[in-house]
Amino acid sequence: MNETIEVLIGEEEISRRVKEIGAQITKDYAGKAVTLLGTLKGGVIFLADLAREIKLDVFMEFIKVSSYGNESESAGKVKLEYPEKADLAGKHIIIVEDIVDMGYTASWLCNYLHGLNPASVKLCALLNKPERRKVKGVEIEYLGFTIPDEFVVGYGLDYAQKYRCLPYVGKLRME
Ligand code: PRP
């Protein structure tokens, strides 16, 4: 099967939006240090660009969770893979996600982090696919783009681990 990719959000559009989000965070957290908590692996590219647009003291941490079960069972079980114990007490945490899809990951992360006594927790996501949401009440404080229910790759997002390093977000088609 042939894989083709059609650009959905171009490099310049992403860059513009990342700058805007960075400026907004800089304003909202003025006088504070922020800890960007990137979700491995998808959130890494977005985090790297966003971090450099925030004109504050920025700390970087990473977390990896895995989901199991599938959509038809709507199991949505999430398991922490890394790190075993995160020391985030007292920190202003901004979770940096590539995409909020069904919402299981973001919802689990918010609950988990609240248990670690941080100063605050907010969610920042490059992409949101509201049509696919299974979990209610996931609040995305900083959002790049809302997209339709298409399989997207690039700028951190993969298909079978490929395409994460594309500078744009594109729709993957199998022909
Ligand atoms: C993707 C993405 C989000 C999550 C969103 O991660 O990075 O973390 O799924 O899905 P949800 O809203 O339905 O929970 P994935 O598990 O594919 O790992 P990856 O980031 O390493 O590609």
Side-chain angles (χ1 to χ4, degrees):
M1 232 193 288
N2 233 359
E3 292 165 14
T4 57
I5 298 166
E6 182 195 329
V7 177
L8 180 67
I9 310 167
E11 195 172 349
E12 279 176 24
E13 206 180 341
I14 293 175
S15 162
R16 227 178 4 249
R17 193 70 195 107
V18 171
K19 281 188 170 59
E20 285 170 4
I21 295 172
Q24 187 64 51
I25 290 174
T26 304
K27 203 168 139 216
D28 293 352
Y29 290 82
K32 298 174 183 147
V34 293
T35 298
L36 300 182
L37 180 68
T39 54
L40 297 170
K41 305 173 189 168
V44 166
I45 306 276
F46 178 37
L47 183 144
D49 284 346
L50 180 64
R52 287 173 288 178
E53 298 298 339
I54 300 173
K55 310 303 174 197
L56 302 168
D57 285 341
V58 174
F59 297 92
M60 296 195 283
E61 300 289 346
F62 295 92
I63 194 162
K64 175 144 188 72
V65 298
S66 62
S67 301
Y68 52 105
N70 59 43
E71 196 185 348
S72 56
E73 292 165 359
S74 73
K77 298 212 174 68
V78 176
K79 189 172 146 238
L80 179 66
E81 304 273 4
Y82 167 87
E84 217 167 277
K85 240 173 78 191
D87 183 15
L88 296 167
K91 308 268 167 67
H92 289 287
I93 301 165
I94 302 175
I95 302 165
V96 182
E97 269 280 27
D98 50 342
I99 187 164
V100 179
D101 186 9
M102 288 182 274
Y104 292 122
T105 308
S107 166
W108 186 92
L109 276 172
C110 288
N111 285 336
Y112 170 73
L113 293 169
H114 279 298
L116 301 178
N117 298 314
S120 65
V121 178
K122 299 274 188 218
L123 174 61
C124 173
L126 180 75
L127 305 173
N128 183 25
K129 254 193 204 176
E131 285 167 43
R132 293 250 306 165
R133 196 72 91 253
K134 296 277 182 196
V135 183
K136 288 210 177 85
V138 175
E139 222 177 286
I140 307 174
E141 188 78 19
Y142 303 103
L143 174 65
F145 306 91
T146 296
I147 59 164
D149 184 10
E150 299 272 2
F151 196 95
V152 287
V153 296
Y155 202 72
L157 294 119
D158 74 308
Y159 169 64
Q161 304 301 325
K162 285 188 290 185
Y163 307 124
R164 290 193 197 272
C165 298
L166 294 177
Y168 53 84
V169 171
K171 298 186 217 175
L172 181 69
R173 301 233 184 273
M174 309 280 206
E175 277 143 15

